[in-house]
mmCIF file of all heavy atoms in Angstrom:
data_model
loop_
_atom_site.group_PDB
_atom_site.id
_atom_site.type_symbol
_atom_site.label_atom_id
_atom_site.label_comp_id
_atom_site.label_asym_id
_atom_site.label_seq_id
_atom_site.Cartn_x
_atom_site.Cartn_y
_atom_site.Cartn_z
ATOM 1 N N THR A 321 13.259 19.917 -1.124
ATOM 2 C CA THR A 321 14.308 19.032 -1.620
ATOM 3 C C THR A 321 15.035 18.426 -0.429
ATOM 4 O O THR A 321 15.478 19.151 0.457
ATOM 5 C CB THR A 321 15.319 19.822 -2.473
ATOM 6 O OG1 THR A 321 14.594 20.560 -3.434
ATOM 7 C CG2 THR A 321 16.313 18.905 -3.154
ATOM 8 N N PHE A 322 15.151 17.124 -0.445
ATOM 9 C CA PHE A 322 15.913 16.445 0.614
ATOM 10 C C PHE A 322 17.368 16.409 0.186
ATOM 11 O O PHE A 322 17.681 15.954 -0.914
ATOM 12 C CB PHE A 322 15.383 15.026 0.804
ATOM 13 C CG PHE A 322 16.101 14.278 1.885
ATOM 14 C CD1 PHE A 322 15.605 14.254 3.180
ATOM 15 C CD2 PHE A 322 17.305 13.620 1.607
ATOM 16 C CE1 PHE A 322 16.283 13.575 4.185
ATOM 17 C CE2 PHE A 322 17.983 12.943 2.612
ATOM 18 C CZ PHE A 322 17.471 12.916 3.894
ATOM 19 N N LYS A 323 18.264 16.917 1.058
ATOM 20 C CA LYS A 323 19.675 16.927 0.703
ATOM 21 C C LYS A 323 20.487 16.113 1.700
ATOM 22 O O LYS A 323 20.247 16.151 2.900
ATOM 23 C CB LYS A 323 20.198 18.361 0.677
ATOM 24 C CG LYS A 323 19.529 19.224 -0.386
ATOM 25 C CD LYS A 323 20.342 20.503 -0.607
ATOM 26 C CE LYS A 323 19.752 21.321 -1.730
ATOM 27 N NZ LYS A 323 18.952 22.458 -1.259
ATOM 28 N N ARG A 324 21.479 15.448 1.150
ATOM 29 C CA ARG A 324 22.399 14.654 1.970
ATOM 30 C C ARG A 324 23.170 15.576 2.913
ATOM 31 O O ARG A 324 23.455 16.731 2.564
ATOM 32 C CB ARG A 324 23.358 13.950 1.017
ATOM 33 C CG ARG A 324 24.285 12.976 1.665
ATOM 34 C CD ARG A 324 24.767 12.002 0.605
ATOM 35 N NE ARG A 324 26.062 12.372 0.068
ATOM 36 C CZ ARG A 324 27.207 11.802 0.435
ATOM 37 N NH1 ARG A 324 27.183 10.851 1.345
ATOM 38 N NH2 ARG A 324 28.330 12.164 -0.108
ATOM 39 N N ASN A 325 23.501 15.087 4.104
ATOM 40 C CA ASN A 325 24.304 15.834 5.073
ATOM 41 C C ASN A 325 23.726 17.177 5.474
ATOM 42 O O ASN A 325 24.467 18.095 5.835
ATOM 43 C CB ASN A 325 25.721 16.056 4.540
ATOM 44 C CG ASN A 325 26.555 14.806 4.711
ATOM 45 O OD1 ASN A 325 26.368 14.067 5.689
ATOM 46 N ND2 ASN A 325 27.444 14.531 3.767
ATOM 47 N N THR A 326 22.424 17.302 5.398
ATOM 48 C CA THR A 326 21.784 18.559 5.805
ATOM 49 C C THR A 326 20.947 18.269 7.041
ATOM 50 O O THR A 326 20.234 17.261 7.075
ATOM 51 C CB THR A 326 20.857 19.049 4.668
ATOM 52 O OG1 THR A 326 21.643 19.152 3.500
ATOM 53 C CG2 THR A 326 20.210 20.376 4.995
ATOM 54 N N PRO A 327 21.079 19.125 8.070
ATOM 55 C CA PRO A 327 20.305 18.826 9.286
ATOM 56 C C PRO A 327 18.806 19.093 9.116
ATOM 57 O O PRO A 327 18.422 20.133 8.583
ATOM 58 C CB PRO A 327 20.899 19.776 10.338
ATOM 59 C CG PRO A 327 21.677 20.783 9.598
ATOM 60 C CD PRO A 327 21.948 20.288 8.214
ATOM 61 N N TYR A 328 18.000 18.128 9.529
ATOM 62 C CA TYR A 328 16.539 18.299 9.516
ATOM 63 C C TYR A 328 16.002 18.034 10.913
ATOM 64 O O TYR A 328 16.624 17.328 11.698
ATOM 65 C CB TYR A 328 15.906 17.317 8.525
ATOM 66 C CG TYR A 328 16.277 17.625 7.092
ATOM 67 C CD1 TYR A 328 17.028 16.714 6.328
ATOM 68 C CD2 TYR A 328 15.909 18.838 6.508
ATOM 69 C CE1 TYR A 328 17.392 17.018 5.025
ATOM 70 C CE2 TYR A 328 16.277 19.142 5.209
ATOM 71 C CZ TYR A 328 17.016 18.231 4.470
ATOM 72 O OH TYR A 328 17.379 18.539 3.189
ATOM 73 N N LEU A 329 14.832 18.615 11.161
ATOM 74 C CA LEU A 329 14.235 18.432 12.478
ATOM 75 C C LEU A 329 13.424 17.130 12.524
ATOM 76 O O LEU A 329 12.515 16.922 11.727
ATOM 77 C CB LEU A 329 13.313 19.626 12.806
ATOM 78 C CG LEU A 329 12.597 19.549 14.150
ATOM 79 C CD1 LEU A 329 13.590 19.654 15.317
ATOM 80 C CD2 LEU A 329 11.539 20.654 14.276
ATOM 81 N N HIS A 330 13.795 16.278 13.461
ATOM 82 C CA HIS A 330 13.020 15.074 13.759
ATOM 83 C C HIS A 330 11.981 15.549 14.770
ATOM 84 O O HIS A 330 12.271 15.707 15.952
ATOM 85 C CB HIS A 330 13.976 14.045 14.369
ATOM 86 C CG HIS A 330 13.351 12.716 14.701
ATOM 87 N ND1 HIS A 330 12.108 12.585 15.266
ATOM 88 C CD2 HIS A 330 13.827 11.454 14.551
ATOM 89 C CE1 HIS A 330 11.842 11.300 15.455
ATOM 90 N NE2 HIS A 330 12.868 10.597 15.027
ATOM 91 N N VAL A 331 10.770 15.830 14.274
ATOM 92 C CA VAL A 331 9.809 16.599 15.076
ATOM 93 C C VAL A 331 9.493 15.925 16.418
ATOM 94 O O VAL A 331 9.505 16.573 17.459
ATOM 95 C CB VAL A 331 8.514 16.868 14.263
ATOM 96 C CG1 VAL A 331 7.467 17.544 15.135
ATOM 97 C CG2 VAL A 331 8.827 17.711 13.038
ATOM 98 N N ARG A 332 9.250 14.622 16.420
ATOM 99 C CA ARG A 332 8.861 13.970 17.675
ATOM 100 C C ARG A 332 9.962 14.029 18.723
ATOM 101 O O ARG A 332 9.706 14.267 19.898
ATOM 102 C CB ARG A 332 8.462 12.499 17.420
ATOM 103 C CG ARG A 332 7.921 11.784 18.654
ATOM 104 C CD ARG A 332 7.446 10.375 18.304
ATOM 105 N NE ARG A 332 8.441 9.611 17.564
ATOM 106 C CZ ARG A 332 9.425 8.906 18.120
ATOM 107 N NH1 ARG A 332 9.525 8.859 19.438
ATOM 108 N NH2 ARG A 332 10.284 8.245 17.364
ATOM 109 N N ASN A 333 11.194 13.882 18.275
ATOM 110 C CA ASN A 333 12.306 13.925 19.229
ATOM 111 C C ASN A 333 12.807 15.340 19.465
ATOM 112 O O ASN A 333 13.684 15.559 20.295
ATOM 113 C CB ASN A 333 13.488 13.091 18.712
ATOM 114 C CG ASN A 333 13.216 11.620 18.869
ATOM 115 O OD1 ASN A 333 12.208 11.250 19.445
ATOM 116 N ND2 ASN A 333 14.120 10.788 18.353
#
Side-chain angles (χ1 to χ4, degrees):
T321 309
F322 181 94
K323 297 195 176 102
R324 186 158 97 101
N325 281 326
T326 304
Y328 293 116
L329 179 67
H330 182 319
V331 174
R332 185 176 51 86
N333 285 355

